[in-house]
Amino acid sequence: VTNTETVLKELMLQGLAGDASAHARLLGSLSGFLRAYFGRRLGSDAADAEDLVQETLLAIHLKRDTYDQRQPFSPWAYAIARYKLLDHFRRRGVRRTVPLEDAGVLLAAENAEEGAVRRDLAKLLAELPERHSALVRDVKLTGYSIDEAAQRQGVTPGAAKVSIHRSLQRLARKARQ
Amino acid sequence: MRTDDLIQTLAADATPVRAVTIAPRLAGVTLIVAAFWAAMLASWLGLGPATAAANGWFWMKVGYSFALALAGLVATAQLARPGGRLGAAGWIALAAIAVIAMMAMRETMSAGPRQMASLWLGQTWSICPVRIVVTAAPIFVAGLWLLRRAAPTRLALAGAGAGLFAGAAGATIYAFYCQESTAAFVLAWYTLGIAICAAIGALVGSRLLRW
C-alpha cells in the first residue's frame, strides 16, 4: 500500500504540473481501485459501480486543485470516493452509513475473490513470453496507453496492439481449460 | 461512455493546476466587507472605531470574536478539502469561549444582585445578535461560494465552519459600533449571534454544498 501511495502521489504531482500521460496513468490505476471499492460496497449492482467509478474519476479530475501537495494522496482520493458513495446512497433514498475507514482500504481494495483472480492472472501471464506479458500488464493492468507501452517494450504501436490481442486470446483459451 | 474513453478525455484536459487557497481569499473578502460596513454602520449606529478603541473592554470584545473568527477560518479552509477535519479549530474556539466565560463569572461574582440585569443584558441584548447576523451575511455568502468551488466532504460541518467564521468576523466588525462593556454580555449575546450563523451554515451547507 505504501508503495502504491508513493507511485500514485508522484503521478498526481506530475498530472498537476500538466503531464497528460501521468494523469491518464493515475486515473487508469485509480479506476481499478475504485471499481473494487465500489463493487464490494454495492454488491450486485455492477452498472452502478461503473457509473460511480466514472463519477469519482471526473470529480478527482475537476477537483484536483483541492489536493494539498504536502499531504499524502490516498486519503484525499479515498475521501472523494467515499463522498461519492454516500451521495449515491442519498440520491437513491437509501439510508446507509458508510464506515469511515482508513484511506488504505482504497488501495488495498482487493477482497479474497479478487486476490484469487489476481493470483490466477499472474499465473496465466507467466506462461506468456516475457515481452507479451509485459505489454498486457502495462496496458491492461497498469493503465499505460498502447503507444507508451509499445515504447517501453521497444516495439511499434501496431505490433503491440496485435501482440496484446493475441495474448488475450491465448489467455482466454488457457483460462477455459 | 466507456471508462477508458473518459480517462483519455480527462487526460487531454490535464492543464497545469494551482492549488486552491481558501483562507487568504476569505480573509480578503472579509476586509472588503469590513470597509463596506465601516461606511454603513457609522451612519446607522453612529459610533465609530475612534470612540470604541479607547476603552479596555473594546479589546475584550474584539479579542473574543477575533479568536472565534480565526477558528472559523481554519475550520473552513480545512473542511473545504476532501477528507478535511476540524483539527485545531475546535480547540481555538473552545479556548476563546472558556476565557470569556471565566471573565463573565468573575464579573457576576463581584456584582450586586441589582447589577445583574445590566451586566448580562446591557442596553442592547435584544438587537445585538440580530445585528451580528446581518453584518455577517455578506461574509457568509462569500464563504459558501468559496466552499462550493472547493470539495468539502463533510457538508454540514463545512457549512458550520463558514457560518462560524462569518458570524465571528461580523461580530468583530460590529464590536467597533457596540457600546456594551461586560464580558457577561459578550458571552451571552455575541456567542448567540455567532452560534445562529454557525447553525444556519450547518443547515444550508448540507444542501447547498453538494457536488
Side-chain angles (χ1 to χ4, degrees), chain B residues 56-68 91-109 119-120 132 171 175 178 180-192 194:
Chain B
W57 41 259
F58 164 77
W59 296 104
M60 173 268 296
K61 289 189 292 189
V62 167
Y64 177 60
S65 35
F66 191 81
L68 286 183
W91 296 112
I92 300 176
L94 281 181
I97 294 171
V99 168
I100 208 80
M102 257 149 51
M103 292 170 73
M105 212 158 72
R106 272 228 321 257
E107 284 174 355
T108 308
M109 308 259 252
L119 197 61
W120 284 91
I132 286 177
C178 158
E180 302 294 346
S181 59
T182 66
F185 181 91
V186 173
L187 174 64
W189 307 107
Y190 273 50
T191 311
L192 177 65
I194 295 168

Side-chain angles (χ1 to χ4, degrees), chain B residues 86-163:
Chain B
L86 205 49
W91 296 112
I92 300 176
L94 281 181
I97 294 171
V99 168
I100 208 80
M102 257 149 51
M103 292 170 73
M105 212 158 72
R106 272 228 321 257
E107 284 174 355
T108 308
M109 308 259 252
S110 59
R114 288 222 209 109
Q115 294 164 295
M116 275 312 151
S118 68
L119 197 61
W120 284 91
L121 301 180
Q123 309 287 318
T124 57
W125 67 273
S126 57
I127 45 175
C128 166
V130 180
R131 284 177 176 170
I132 286 177
V133 173
V134 171
T135 313
I139 304 170
F140 179 61
V141 172
L144 275 190
W145 185 74
L146 282 171
L147 276 178
R148 275 190 63 88
R149 299 192 46 194
T153 49
R154 300 172 74 179
L155 306 187
L157 202 56

